[in-house]
């Protein structure tokens, strides 16, 4: 992206913030006139930055995936013990959940290679966090990256008719319960989930290699 002037950058951020809010409230079919109105800008300003709906949806989604990946990498390289790193990861995800709206509701972007690479990077980074936790005996052996990503999405999923402050408190409680369930002590076997790659647009021959399978998240959450 070329460097924008300060006023153009502010307008872009206003449009993206308005789009996130309206996508969360009404879905991605919301009228672009409504997005411009929510941003306090004219529709011409919106179209100068985003020539069509697909471009706007893509940018909101990419921003969400980048936010999620940054949170995961910050936890991964924090130097904290694995469980503490996972706790920090979920805390950041709850804080940033407004920016994760498209990964949460499922952006229609699986065929965009830049998005697919972000998704693969997210799964690899989550797999590394879980592997570190298993090595120290802090994380049960049967948890997969998709389990963690799905949990993050469910924690951050918008809850209609609940005030934001209360929704955050409920999300934090959910995180505490989930993290406790990651520990191996007294763990019960998980139900069989099958192979989700069929539903996630994964090219397994390309994505497999050293380490865990990579699962691009086509209508999947996340990190949201």
């Amino acid at each position: 992206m070329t460097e924008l002037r300060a006023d153009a950058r502010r307008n872009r951020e206003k449009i993206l913030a308005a789009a996130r809010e309206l996508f969360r409230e009404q879905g991605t079919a919301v009228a672009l006139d409504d997005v411009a109105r929510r941003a306090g800008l004219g529709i011409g300003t919106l179209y100068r930055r985003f020539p069509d709906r697909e471009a706007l949806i893509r940018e909101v989604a990419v921003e969400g995936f980048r936010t999620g990946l940054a949170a995961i990498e910050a936890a991964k390289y924090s130097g904290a013990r694995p469980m503490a790193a996972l706790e920090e990861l979920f805390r950041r995800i709850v804080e940033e959940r407004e920016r994760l709206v498209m990964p949460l509701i499922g952006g229609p972007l699986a065929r965009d290679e830049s998005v697919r690479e972000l998704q693969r990077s997210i799964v690899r980074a989550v797999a590394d966090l879980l592997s570190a936790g298993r090595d120290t005996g802090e994380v049960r052996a049967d948890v997969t990256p998709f389990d963690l990503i799905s949990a993050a999405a469910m924690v951050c999923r918008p809850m209609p008719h609940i005030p934001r402050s209360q929704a955050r408190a409920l999300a934090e409680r959910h995180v505490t319960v989930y993290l406790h369930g990651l520990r191996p002590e007294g763990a019960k076997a998980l139900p069989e989930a099958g192979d989700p790659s069929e539903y996630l647009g994964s090219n397994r021959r390309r994505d497999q290699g050293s380490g865990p399978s990579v699962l691009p998240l086509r209508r999947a959450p996340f990190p949201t």
Side-chain angles (χ1 to χ4, degrees):
M1 181 187 300
T2 57
E3 187 69 23
L4 298 175
R5 301 191 318 271
D7 59 338
R9 189 164 55 249
R10 284 193 297 271
N11 288 343
R12 178 180 178 277
E13 288 304 316
K14 288 178 181 178
I15 293 166
L16 290 174
R20 285 193 300 268
E21 290 179 2
L22 287 170
F23 289 168
R24 186 172 57 250
E25 294 169 9
Q26 302 178 33
T28 56
V30 64
L32 295 186
D33 282 339
D34 290 343
V35 175
R37 191 175 302 110
R38 178 72 63 93
L41 301 168
I43 189 64
T45 300
L46 185 151
Y47 279 120
R48 279 195 294 275
R49 298 268 65 85
F50 305 100
D52 53 35
R53 179 184 306 278
E54 182 178 348
L56 180 58
I57 291 172
R58 181 191 183 280
E59 192 60 29
V60 172
V62 167
E63 181 186 66
F65 283 121
R66 286 175 177 161
T67 297
L69 181 58
I72 296 164
E73 291 185 336
K76 178 180 173 180
Y77 296 113
S78 67
R81 289 187 62 83
M83 186 55 70
L86 288 168
E87 290 173 358
E88 175 62 15
L89 168 60
F90 272 90
R91 184 191 66 78
R92 285 194 59 175
I93 286 171
V94 170
E95 286 184 351
E96 298 279 6
R97 64 192 185 281
E98 301 291 338
R99 289 185 174 270
L100 300 174
V101 58
M102 281 302 300
L104 293 182
I105 66 176
L109 296 163
R111 289 174 291 183
D112 187 311
E113 185 54 33
S114 64
V115 173
R116 288 175 63 88
E117 182 52 39
L118 279 168
Q119 294 168 330
R120 288 192 286 268
S121 296
I122 285 170
V123 176
R124 285 193 291 264
V126 170
D128 289 343
L129 276 174
L130 291 176
S131 178
R134 285 190 285 269
D135 289 345
T136 60
E138 295 176 80
V139 174
R140 56 190 296 165
D142 53 356
V143 174
T144 70
F146 184 68
D147 291 324
L148 203 73
I149 292 166
S150 298
M154 287 186 280
V155 163
C156 298
R157 193 81 182 182
M159 290 182 278
H161 315 303
I162 296 179
R164 288 189 178 184
S165 60
Q166 187 175 357
R168 174 173 179 141
L170 289 171
E172 290 171 347
R173 288 171 63 89
H174 188 134
V175 165
T176 300
V177 172
Y178 179 76
L179 291 172
H180 181 76
L182 288 180
R183 297 183 182 276
E185 297 86 358
K188 296 182 179 180
L190 293 175
E192 178 60 45
D195 182 358
S197 61
E198 176 184 354
Y199 309 105
L200 302 176
S202 175
N203 182 333
R204 294 182 64 80
R205 285 179 297 178
R206 181 186 65 190
D207 293 336
Q208 283 181 333
S210 59
S213 299
V214 175
L215 304 175
L217 309 179
R218 190 172 61 194
R219 289 190 53 79
F222 196 100
T224 288

